[in-house]
Amino acid sequence: MNTEALNKSDLILRISEKNPHLAEPIVEEAVKIMIDHMIAALSANQRIEIRGFGSFALHHRQPRLGRNPKTGEKVTVSAKAVPHFKPGKALRDAVNEQAGK
């Protein structure tokens, strides 16, 4: 099983290699803009849907009473929003096809 991560720099490099007519700085800027727009949309509590890939949405967690694991003391954990990714059918099928090989 390959556990190597694909980071942003690798993604930019791969896109540049597959599109030699696009200079790497242009691809880098496009990826940065896309990520910035996704962050802005989620920050505005908007859902992001990329057909064939998946969707991003916020899951809202209620405030709760937790415990400090070191001391056992009760602490209040405030409400928060957590980004959540749900893969689309095409992505699930592609991943499962690869896993079955």
Side-chain angles (χ1 to χ4, degrees), residues 4 8 20-21 40 44 51 53 57 74 79 82 84 88 91:
E4 193 175 317
K8 187 165 76 168
H21 61 285
R51 302 250 179 212
F53 182 69
K74 291 181 181 183
V82 180
H84 175 75
L91 176 59

Side-chain angles (χ1 to χ4, degrees), residues 64-95:
R64 63 183 174 85
L65 193 59
R67 290 194 181 271
N68 180 329
K70 194 171 188 177
T71 64
E73 177 185 347
K74 291 181 181 183
V75 293
T76 303
V77 179
S78 58
K80 58 184 163 183
V82 180
H84 175 75
F85 174 72
K86 181 179 177 187
K89 184 179 183 319
L91 176 59
R92 279 194 318 269
D93 291 348
V95 169

Side-chain angles (χ1 to χ4, degrees), residues 28-49:
E28 182 177 4
E29 183 65 18
V31 169
K32 181 186 177 309
I33 289 168
M34 185 181 78
I35 291 171
D36 289 346
H37 279 289
M38 292 174 76
I39 290 170
L42 285 173
S43 296
N45 202 23
Q46 294 175 324
R47 185 172 180 270
I48 301 167
E49 185 176 326

